[in-house]
Every structure is written in C-alpha cells, then in structure tokens.
Amino acid sequence: MNQERANQQYKVMMVDDELPALTNMQCALAAHPEWRLIASCHSTTQARAILQNETLDLILLDIEMPTQTGLDFARELILSAQAPLIVFITAYNKHAVSAFEIFALDYLLKPFDDERFAAMLARAKQALQTKQQLLQSAVMQDYFLDRDAEKSGAATP
C-alpha cells in the first residue's frame, strides 16, 4: 500500500434532526481517524447547502425528519454523478426495504454499538476503494483507446 492510500481521509456528513443522535454518531466516528466529519446537519436543507460546496464520500442519514424524509433526500442524492455512499441510521426497521431499493450501503438501527458502526465504516471504505479502482480502470482504458486510435490514424495516409 502506498503512502498516499495509507493517509487517505474519507469525508462524512451526518444528517439527523435530533441532537443526541448527532452527538452519538460524532462520538462513534471520532474513534476512526481516517474518516473526517465535514458537517453535522439538523435538516436536509442544511445538508443540501453543504453539498453545493463539498464532495463527500459518505452520508449518515436519519429517515424520519421534519420537512423532508431521509429517503426522499437520498432519492435526490443518487441522481448526482458525484453521489456519496448513503447509510441510514434510524430507530425504525420498517424502512429497510425502501432504503436498499435506493442503493443504501447499510442500515443501522439506533441505538447501534461501536462494533456495528465500525463494520459499517469498513464496508464503506471497501466500497470507496472499489469505486476508485473502477474509475482508474476506466481512465486507463480511455487512454489506451485514444492512443490506439492515434496510432491507427497516423498509420493511414
């Protein structure tokens, strides 16, 4: 593993309308220094404003919130080319199927324990590394296709 990969920090935003839940997530995340908290938001409106200026790797998202549900916000997020991974952290198991229908990476029930939280972060890290490898492969493929096209064009009189 190269030094750049070893020092990788992943950017996280938390969205929950309840302060104790945000505090709990912040404490759990603090034990994982490769994950950097960018923002803790009390609403999807605050989160949307932050997303205008930040590219995130992971959003920890509550479901039942006033004004807009986490599920509705996630449906917006997945339409973006730079969509972050989404993990729902909620007190209700009744939304799990809906969460996975919109490609949530994970679904944690409150109150979660540190081991479950760590397992979720490990899954997120693996997914982000796989995404990066796929992007690198696509760039390399484009490079070789362009190079081959140039060679073919140069060989033709």
Side-chain angles (χ1 to χ4, degrees), residues 31-107:
H32 304 274
E34 64 190 324
W35 295 90
R36 182 168 53 108
L37 181 61
I38 300 302
S40 292
C41 303
H42 296 284
S43 69
T44 58
T45 302
Q46 285 180 323
R48 194 175 291 104
I50 289 167
L51 285 168
Q52 290 178 355
N53 300 314
E54 285 285 346
T55 300
L56 300 170
D57 297 304
L58 175 64
I59 293 184
L60 305 178
L61 185 58
D62 188 20
I63 291 181
E64 295 197 8
M65 294 185 287
T67 312
Q68 184 181 30
T69 70
L71 287 168
D72 289 338
F73 184 54
R75 285 184 188 99
E76 285 177 32
L77 293 175
I78 63 172
L79 298 177
S80 166
Q82 297 288 340
L85 297 175
I86 299 168
V87 170
F88 289 102
I89 300 182
T90 182
Y92 305 97
N93 63 5
K94 65 184 177 183
H95 302 292
V97 171
S98 297
F100 289 112
E101 286 174 347
I102 54 175
F103 307 106
L105 178 73
D106 210 337
Y107 193 95

Side-chain angles (χ1 to χ4, degrees), residues 12-16 22 25-26 29 37 39-41 60 117:
V12 181
M13 179 168 55
M14 301 171 178
V15 185
D16 197 308
L22 286 173
M25 286 188 279
Q26 290 168 359
L29 189 67
L37 181 61
S40 292
C41 303
L60 305 178
F117 193 83

